Amino acid sequence: MRLRELLDDTELGLLLLVGHDDHSSADGPLDRAISAVATNDLADPGRFLTGGELVLTGLAWWRADGDAESFVRVLRRAGVTALAAGEVEHGLVPHDLVRACRRHGVPLIAVRPETSFAAVTERVLRRLHRREPGGPAGPASMASVASLAALVERHRRLLADRAAPDSVLELLRHTLGLDVRVLSATGRQIAGARPPLPAKTAAALAARHLAARRAGGTAPHTVTVGARLYSLVPVPVPGPGLPRQAAELGDWLLVMESDTALWPAPDLELLDRTAELVADARSAHEQSKTARNDLADRSLALLHDNSVPAEEIPIRLRSTAQAVVSGVGYWPRCQFVVASGERLGAGPVPAAALRVLLEEALVQEDGPVPVSSEDIAATVDGDRAVLLVLVPEPSDTRPDPALDHAALQRRLSAALARWLGPEDSVSIGVSSPVAEPGDARRSLEQAHNALRIAHAAPERVTVRGPEDLTSHILTLLPLIPAEARRAFAARLLGPLRDHDARHRTDLLATLEAFLDCDASWTACAARLHLHVNSLRQRIARIETLTDRDLSRLETRLDFLAALKSG
């Protein structure tokens, strides 16, 4: 174990007083190895030291200024790695001990009163029992691994009853001194050490995992992010396989700051068993999702069945919820989220992959609303992903809780960047909350209409909701069949296109500029570099050819709609 690893342990809260790295040296004091721990309060501890120790002292030998010089000289001759002095006896580390350690080049650590020497010793010994990579496996270390393997097996049985994997990962941390986290393929932390990794680091690790997976690399994958080395271990996929893109976006992976390629065989076997255990947790998670997704499947089929009378919809939806989700005898308040995507020259984005991505985006810790994976029922409808997202009931603090479209768009934009090409796009339509099951059919149609409007937007990732359906008359254009829109545009703008083609004029461009300038003569003339009288002549010609009066608001709206349509 290196001295810097001990100091990095924030739970111990050790303070380095002497021995900060000399940046001119490639092998500074903090890179010294600790081979043993010795607790000693003798004035002359030399006969008990062999070199490489972390010496713990409660300073019972220190009585007055000057006592430290001979004590530290002995430590230096013995070749100890560092001295750790407790603050309980005197309230602080004596200044002459600090000066003596600085003179003799012995790293000095202050141990705060609330940190016991036993805790420091335990932390070091755990790492020593784990052995240096490739080192000999002594009886003590083998016993430690065997004991830990038995405990992992016990937790494995607990996970058969759907216990969370955090307890086992915490066990690994306390026993091996190793932080292990479980991340999703988008960088979301599912379980493991807290605090979570920085968002950029987690996202980078997830991206590197996806790249290695697609390249067919052999796991574990060893990657470097931010000058730190990590090993990424994929968690086995439970049950039948999903389509490739859906499977890779649904990956779980174990992440640890260590090079597992250098681990001895017993530790690698323990890691494999831990991955299997987390796979059990993932299997339980997937089984729970299957039940919720069945609710989405059956509800969607019911809402699409036009033979079911409208008055029977609420009764059947409540019955469906009760049959699928145990203990639920009502239709839960939810919103519909409908999405589809296009890959340039490659057809639609697979709906199964899109469904997984939307779920990931919604359950992020900083996601659009506080949504857990248990709050989402998902399915596919042709080339579209359809989600039912449970949202909270209104309260005094949240009078109308609903998905935040802007936050959802930001989250999806970040996630999509990892697997969509620069010309690919995804459109999402969101309904208003469905408070009563009788409103479900109307809300689903609302989400589909919002999706049609999102398709017409130029952004790479677009989310539209019910407010976008009423924000502007022109936003309703995508709801009109494309053939009808094109026929309307041809009838209204056809005479202008024909005139421009025959006479090499710019009547269509003039009309567009005039409408864009809100029918302002001076602004439009300035934009087109025309005299106002010349502009008036062009507009008059447009009115004659189309038999329309551009001074009327409805005429200008018609022309705007025609220009938007074709």
Side-chain angles (χ1 to χ4, degrees):
M1 180 182 187
R2 304 294 173 183
L3 184 56
R4 71 170 68 250
E5 295 176 69
L6 183 65
L7 292 167
D8 285 343
D9 193 323
T10 55
E11 289 186 2
L12 294 176
L14 303 178
L15 176 64
L16 181 67
L17 300 179
V18 176
H20 292 85
D21 274 340
D22 176 7
H23 295 293
S24 65
S25 171
D27 187 17
L30 300 186
D31 288 313
R32 295 181 183 179
I34 301 172
S35 59
V37 182
T39 302
N40 202 309
D41 270 316
L42 297 174
D44 183 3
R47 63 184 182 277
F48 300 106
L49 302 174
T50 59
E53 297 93 341
L54 171 68
V55 177
L56 299 171
T57 178
L59 297 173
W61 52 267
W62 188 86
R63 290 289 179 270
D65 197 25
D67 288 351
E69 178 64 25
S70 59
F71 182 86
V72 175
R73 189 182 299 117
V74 170
L75 300 184
R76 173 61 187 273
R77 283 201 301 267
V80 303
T81 294
L83 172 65
E87 297 180 333
V88 174
E89 184 78 12
H90 304 289
L92 49 75
V93 177
H95 294 302
D96 72 320
L97 180 58
V98 176
R99 291 193 295 269
C101 286
R102 188 172 290 120
R103 279 195 297 273
H104 293 284
V106 176
L108 174 62
I109 298 168
V111 182
R112 58 188 181 180
E114 60 266 33
T115 301
S116 68
F117 282 1
V120 177
T121 302
E122 179 189 11
R123 201 62 50 87
V124 174
L125 290 180
R126 281 204 304 266
R127 295 302 296 268
L128 293 180
H129 285 171
R130 195 179 170 278
R131 305 174 305 282
E132 289 295 321
S141 62
M142 291 299 292
S144 173
V145 170
S147 175
L148 182 57
L151 286 172
V152 168
E153 187 61 34
R154 185 184 309 165
H155 281 271
R156 181 182 176 85
R157 290 196 297 270
L158 287 175
L159 277 177
D161 297 323
R162 297 188 179 182
D166 289 276
S167 56
V168 177
L169 301 181
E170 182 68 11
L171 178 66
L172 289 177
R173 187 174 75 86
H174 282 297
T175 306
L176 300 182
L178 190 65
D179 284 341
V180 182
R181 296 175 173 88
V182 181
L183 300 185
S184 74
T186 65
R188 175 176 62 91
Q189 179 155 325
I190 298 168
R194 294 285 176 174
L197 292 169
K200 288 185 177 179
T201 301
L205 289 170
R208 298 289 292 276
H209 161 73
L210 285 178
R213 190 188 200 280
R214 291 169 180 174
T218 303
H221 310 303
T222 303
V223 301
T224 301
V225 174
R228 291 179 180 270
L229 186 73
Y230 296 89
S231 288
L232 311 179
V233 181
V235 175
V237 179
L242 293 169
R244 182 185 64 82
Q245 287 179 318
E248 68 183 23
L249 289 170
D251 275 352
W252 286 18
L253 59 148
L254 295 175
V255 174
M256 61 217 76
E257 192 177 340
S258 177
D259 186 356
T260 58
L262 302 177
W263 285 15
D267 285 3
L268 289 174
E269 181 181 356
L270 181 59
L271 178 62
D272 289 341
R273 298 187 68 187
T274 302
E276 292 172 3
L277 182 150
V278 176
D280 287 346
R282 182 178 177 185
S283 180
H285 171 76
E286 295 296 333
Q287 290 173 13
S288 176
K289 280 178 59 178
T290 299
R292 293 192 303 275
N293 293 346
D294 189 36
L295 172 62
D297 285 335
R298 294 170 64 173
S299 299
L300 196 65
L302 179 61
L303 294 175
H304 281 335
D305 188 350
N306 292 324
S307 66
V308 179
E311 60 271 15
E312 289 188 19
I313 291 289
I315 300 170
R316 293 202 184 187
L317 284 177
R318 287 193 183 96
S319 176
T320 298
Q322 190 171 24
V324 173
V325 184
S326 177
V328 174
Y330 59 91
W331 177 257
R333 187 174 188 269
C334 65
Q335 286 179 265
F336 286 103
V337 178
V338 183
S340 65
E342 288 292 331
R343 313 196 80 164
L344 186 65
V349 174
L354 197 53
R355 184 197 76 189
V356 174
L357 184 67
L358 285 170
E359 291 182 78
E360 278 292 305
L362 286 167
V363 300
Q364 295 280 354
E365 289 188 353
D366 57 345
V369 291
V371 172
S372 71
S373 58
E374 287 73 27
D375 296 326
I376 299 174
T379 186
V380 298
D381 184 11
D383 61 357
R384 297 181 176 185
V386 180
L387 276 63
L388 277 69
V389 181
L390 274 62
V391 291
E393 294 291 337
S395 65
D396 293 339
T397 56
R398 291 177 65 92
D400 188 24
L403 296 176
D404 182 334
H405 301 163
L408 180 57
Q409 183 156 327
R410 288 194 300 271
R411 169 62 58 194
L412 283 172
S413 296
L416 286 168
R418 301 190 193 104
W419 66 286
L420 281 184
E423 301 299 326
D424 301 337
S425 63
V426 169
S427 303
I428 302 102
V430 181
S431 76
S432 54
V434 185
E436 296 294 334
D439 299 330
R441 183 174 278 173
R442 178 188 57 80
S443 293
L444 179 59
E445 182 63 25
Q446 186 182 61
H448 281 291
N449 286 339
L451 177 64
R452 293 187 186 99
I453 292 175
H455 277 311
E459 292 89 353
R460 184 183 178 202
V461 180
T462 309
V463 181
R464 294 290 183 263
E467 65 275 12
D468 297 298
L469 297 175
T470 55
S471 62
H472 193 287
I473 187 65
L474 294 179
T475 62
L476 300 179
L477 284 176
L479 305 183
I480 301 172
E483 185 177 348
R485 293 199 309 270
R486 287 192 295 268
F488 174 74
R491 184 172 65 253
L492 198 58
L493 303 178
L496 303 182
R497 291 196 178 104
D498 291 343
H499 188 279
D500 285 344
R502 286 198 308 269
H503 303 285
R504 297 185 180 181
T505 53
D506 295 310
L507 295 183
L508 195 62
T510 301
L511 173 64
E512 192 167 5
F514 184 68
L515 296 175
D516 195 46
C517 292
D518 296 326
S520 168
W521 297 101
T522 54
C524 184
R527 175 183 293 191
L528 297 177
H529 306 290
L530 293 173
H531 191 277
V532 172
N533 288 338
S534 299
L535 176 61
R536 289 185 185 276
Q537 291 172 5
R538 288 192 185 184
I539 296 299
R541 187 60 178 158
I542 290 171
E543 291 177 330
T544 300
L545 289 170
T546 60
D547 195 24
R548 297 293 182 108
D549 181 1
L550 275 166
S551 66
R552 297 175 60 85
L553 175 60
E554 58 266 32
T555 298
R556 295 200 293 272
L557 286 175
D558 282 347
F559 275 122
L560 274 172
L563 289 167
K564 294 282 187 182
S565 298

